[in-house]
Amino acid sequence: AQSVTQPDIHITVSEGASLELRCNYSYGATPYLFWYVQSPGQGLQLLLKYFSGDTLVQGIKGFEAEFKRSQSSFNLRKPSVHWSDAAEYFCAVGAPSAGNMLTFGGGTRLMVKP
Amino acid sequence: DVKVTQSSRYLVKRTGEKVFLECVQDMDHENMFWYRQDPGLGLRLIYFSYDVKMKEKGDIPEGYSVSREKKERFSLILESASTNQTSMYLCASREGPILEAFFGQGTRLTVV
C-alpha cells in the first residue's frame, strides 16, 4: 500500500522569502502525485499534479514541484511567499494499482510573517 | 463551475445518535469519497464508492457506513455517534486516477 509523509508539521517563513515543503512517498512504482492547499474554513484546492513526463511541474499561484524518483520525493516550492499563502498544504499519492484512491500526508501548516 | 456540496457546515450531535452526512456532486463523477480530517493526521479515507450501490472500505471504516443510491449523492452514516468521532468530515469526487479530486467545504461534527 502507498503512504505519504510530510515531515514538517509547521513552517514559518517571512513574506517574500522562498518556500519548500517536503513530501516523501512510499510506493513501488511511479505514483500519481498531487499537492492540495486548504485555506482556513475552506475545502481543498488542487495546486498541481504529476503523473508522467517532465519531473518539474508548474501549478497555480506560482507554485511548482519536482518529482525525484531516486529520493521518493515530491517537494513543493515557491520563490517568493505572499501573506495569502498562509494555509495548510497536503501532499497526496494515487497508485495505479489502487484505482482511484488517494492517500494523503499529515499536512504542513504554513505561517507567513510580515 | 464544478461543485461538491456537503449538506451541513457544522453539526452538534449527542452520543448514541444516528448521524447522516450528505454529499452531492454535479460533475457526473463515478468515484466519491469520505475522508476524516484531524490535526496532525491529515486526511484519512473512511469509505469510497466507485459506482452506484458499490462501496469499499478505506483506512478507518469502523463505526461508519455509507450509502450511494444515486450517482450524484454519497451519504456517510454514523450508526451510533461517539465522542471520538468528533472531527472534520470531507467529501470528494473524481473521475479518474490522474485527475484531480474535488472537495466539499467540509462538515465539522461535534459529538457531545
Side-chain angles (χ1 to χ4, degrees):
Chain A
Q2 67 271 25
S3 65
V4 182
T5 301
Q6 294 179 247
D8 305 304
I9 297 174
H10 296 279
I11 283 185
T12 301
V13 300
S14 297
E15 191 168 16
S18 63
L19 171 70
E20 183 170 30
L21 302 183
R22 296 184 291 163
C23 172
N24 295 98
Y25 69 88
S26 173
Y27 182 63
T30 301
Y32 308 133
L33 295 160
F34 304 81
W35 273 101
Y36 284 84
V37 61
Q38 185 181 36
S39 299
Q42 303 296 314
L44 274 72
Q45 180 185 21
L46 181 72
L47 284 175
L48 47 78
K49 66 181 181 183
Y50 171 81
F51 58 93
S52 69
D54 193 345
T55 57
L56 183 64
V57 293
Q58 303 296 321
I60 62 171
K61 305 186 181 190
F63 285 93
E64 67 177 26
E66 187 171 12
F67 170 58
K68 292 186 177 179
R69 185 192 307 274
S70 61
Q71 298 176 20
S72 298
S73 69
F74 188 56
N75 294 348
L76 182 71
R77 301 193 293 247
K78 187 170 184 178
S80 177
V81 169
H82 188 262
W83 63 266
S84 61
D85 293 324
E88 188 151 23
Y89 292 79
F90 293 95
C91 181
V93 60
S97 62
N100 287 296
M101 289 178 62
L102 274 180
T103 299
F104 284 81
T108 298
R109 182 166 296 279
L110 173 67
M111 290 173 280
V112 181
K113 291 189 298 185
Chain B
D1 222 13
V2 298
K3 234 179 187 173
V4 178
T5 304
Q6 294 182 231
S7 53
S8 305
R9 290 295 301 272
Y10 301 94
L11 275 178
V12 180
K13 296 292 182 181
R14 295 193 180 278
T15 302
E17 274 193 79
K18 190 168 187 176
V19 181
F20 294 85
L21 304 183
E22 307 287 344
C23 175
V24 176
Q25 51 100 358
D26 65 358
M27 296 164 282
D28 203 37
H29 286 167
E30 300 285 344
N31 307 286
M32 296 188 73
F33 306 83
W34 275 106
Y35 288 91
R36 171 176 170 160
Q37 182 180 8
D38 298 289
L41 298 178
L43 279 70
R44 293 178 292 166
L45 182 64
I46 304 171
Y47 269 97
F48 75 99
S49 168
Y50 51 92
D51 201 350
V52 174
K53 297 189 187 294
M54 306 303 288
K55 62 186 179 185
E56 286 207 20
K57 294 179 180 179
D59 299 318
I60 52 165
E62 297 78 18
Y64 303 95
S65 62
V66 289
S67 171
R68 192 160 180 211
E69 297 296 320
K70 294 185 177 181
K71 192 175 186 180
E72 67 270 18
R73 187 180 297 271
F74 191 36
S75 303
L76 180 70
I77 303 157
L78 287 65
E79 297 290 344
S80 178
S82 64
T83 54
N84 63 14
Q85 292 178 309
T86 292
S87 187
M88 171 71 84
Y89 291 88
L90 291 169
C91 174
S93 72
R94 70 194 296 222
E95 185 55 32
I98 65 169
L99 299 174
E100 72 175 285
F102 293 89
F103 283 83
Q105 295 282 70
T107 297
R108 184 164 295 283
L109 172 67
T110 302
V111 182
V112 297

